[in-house]
C-alpha cells in the first residue's frame, strides 16, 4: 500500500502534490506519477517514472506550474513490473481522464476482456488501467464523474483507494474507497485527498475519514 494525494485549490497543485507524496515516501514505493489540470479545455499534463520521486521531478517542465488541481501516486507494483508505463496515473483512451489507485482489483481480467471487446486499448499490465477505461465509459453515459465513479465501484471486486480527475471539470477531484484508507483534508479555499493525513498535515489539521464504500467529490 503506498501513496495517494489529490489537491484542488488556489495554489499551484504541483508543489502541494509533490510535497504530499514526499511525506508518504516512508511507506515505500517503486515508481511515482502525477496528473495535473489547468483551465477547462486544457489537456491533462501527466508525468510518471519508475524509481524515486526525484526521477519524476527531473521529468517535469514548466507546463506543470500553472495547474491548480492534480493527483499524485507512489506505486508498489502488484500487477505488472515497476516500469514507467505501469506507473500511475492511468488514462482513458481520449486522454481526458486520469486515475490513480492503491490496492488490487480482483476482477480486472474480466473487466479488461469486456473493455477490449468494446474497443478500448490498453497500454499497461496493471489491474488499475481497467478502472480508467470503465470510468471513461460510465462518464460518457452519465456526464458526471461522481456518479460514474459510484457506478464503477459497484462493478469492482477487491480493495481500492481511487482518485480521478477529468479535464472537462478541472476543479473537481473524485475519490472512492473500499478496504483501503482515504482521508479528506479540509483547508481554506483548498482541499486535499490522501491515503494518510501526513500528506497534508502542514496545510490543514481538519480531516474527515471516508467510510467504507463511499465516494467523495472535492472542489476548492
Ligand atoms: N495494483 C496496482 C498496481 O499494481 C496498485 C498498486 C499500489 O497499491 O500501489 O499498479
Amino acid at each position: 500500500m503506498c501513496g495517494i494525494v489529490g489537491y484542488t485549490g488556489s495554489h499551484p497543485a504541483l508543489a502541494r502534490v509533490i510535497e504530499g507524496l514526499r511525506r508518504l515516501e516512508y511507506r515505500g514505493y517503486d515508481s511515482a506519477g502525477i496528473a495535473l489540470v489547468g483551465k477547462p479545455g486544457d489537456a491533462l499534463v501527466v508525468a510518471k517514472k519508475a524509481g524515486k520521486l526525484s526521477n519524476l521531478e527531473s521529468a517535469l517542465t514548466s507546463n506543470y506550474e500553472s495547474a491548480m488541481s492534480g493527483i499524485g501516486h507512489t506505486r508498489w507494483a502488484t500487477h505488472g513490473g515497476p516500469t514507467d508505463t505501469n506507473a500511475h496515473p492511468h488514462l482513458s483512451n481520449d486522454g481526458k481522464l486520469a486515475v490513480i489507485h492503491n490496492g488490487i482489483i480482483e476482477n480486472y481480467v474480466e473487466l479488461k476482456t469486456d473493455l477490449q471487446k468494446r474497443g478500448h486499448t490498453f497500454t499497461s499490465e496493471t489491474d488499475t488501467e481497467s478502472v480508467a477505461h470503465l470510468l471513461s465509459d460510465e462518464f460518457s453515459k452519465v456526464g458526471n464523474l461522481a456518479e460514474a465513479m459510484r457506478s464503477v465501484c459497484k462493478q469492482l471486486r477487491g480493495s481500492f483507494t481511487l482518485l480521478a480527475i477529468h479535464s472537462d471539470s478541472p476543479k473537481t477531484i473524485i475519490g472512492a474507497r473500499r478496504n483501503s484508507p482515504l482521508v479528506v483534508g479540509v483547508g481554506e479555499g483548498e482541499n486535499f485527498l490522501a491515503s494518510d493525513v501526513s500528506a497534508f498535515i502542514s496545510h490543514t489539521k481538519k480531516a474527515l475519514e471516508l467510510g467504507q464504500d463511499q465516494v467523495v467529490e472535492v472542489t476548492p
Side-chain angles (χ1 to χ4, degrees):
M1 244 356 110
C2 347
I4 289 252
V5 181
Y7 174 83
T8 182
S10 49
H11 296 272
L14 176 61
R16 290 284 203 263
V17 172
I18 295 284
E19 179 192 348
L21 291 179
R22 198 161 293 296
R23 288 177 184 273
L24 299 175
E25 269 191 306
Y26 71 93
R27 300 163 73 97
Y29 62 98
D30 54 46
S31 38
I34 54 164
L36 303 172
V37 59
K39 300 185 301 302
D42 284 359
L44 294 180
V45 281
V46 179
K48 44 193 209 167
K49 282 279 167 202
K52 289 284 167 205
L53 208 44
S54 51
N55 293 0
L56 174 68
E57 286 178 292
S58 322
L60 301 174
T61 61
S62 57
N63 285 350
Y64 297 82
E65 280 157 18
S66 59
M68 303 294 166
S69 302
I71 56 178
H73 186 259
T74 45
R75 174 177 187 236
W76 189 272
T78 64
H79 292 66
T83 61
D84 291 355
T85 312
N86 288 335
H88 300 205
H90 291 286
L91 303 188
S92 56
N93 286 145
D94 64 8
K96 290 179 149 198
L97 182 141
V99 169
I100 56 177
H101 164 227
N102 277 357
I104 292 175
I105 306 299
E106 285 166 7
N107 58 332
Y108 82 99
V109 174
E110 60 200 74
L111 293 173
K112 182 171 178 174
T113 308
D114 278 359
L115 286 157
Q116 283 173 323
K117 280 188 199 143
R118 301 210 294 268
H120 293 272
T121 308
F122 282 69
T123 55
S124 80
E125 301 153 328
T126 63
D127 50 337
T128 306
E129 192 180 350
S130 291
V131 179
H133 298 303
L134 196 55
L135 189 59
S136 131
D137 266 9
E138 293 297 331
F139 181 74
S140 58
K141 282 187 221 155
V142 299
N144 174 293
L145 203 52
E147 208 178 310
M149 181 65 95
R150 277 191 283 272
S151 163
V152 164
C153 290
K154 290 180 192 156
Q155 301 172 57
L156 301 180
R157 289 204 312 272
S159 61
F160 49 83
T161 299
L162 289 164
L163 296 191
I165 55 171
H166 196 291
S167 58
D168 287 352
S169 49
K171 291 195 173 295
T172 305
I173 316 271
I174 303 296
R177 69 162 288 251
R178 177 184 300 159
N179 302 326
S180 177
L182 179 57
V183 190
V184 183
V186 183
E188 294 285 331
E190 60 176 355
N191 289 305
F192 298 80
L193 285 165
S195 46
D196 187 302
V197 289
S198 53
F200 53 73
I201 200 82
S202 61
H203 299 289
T204 177
K205 304 229 167 351
K206 270 202 238 164
L208 303 169
E209 208 172 336
L210 209 64
Q212 174 77 335
D213 272 315
Q214 285 193 321
V215 168
V216 63
E217 177 172 353
V218 170
T219 63

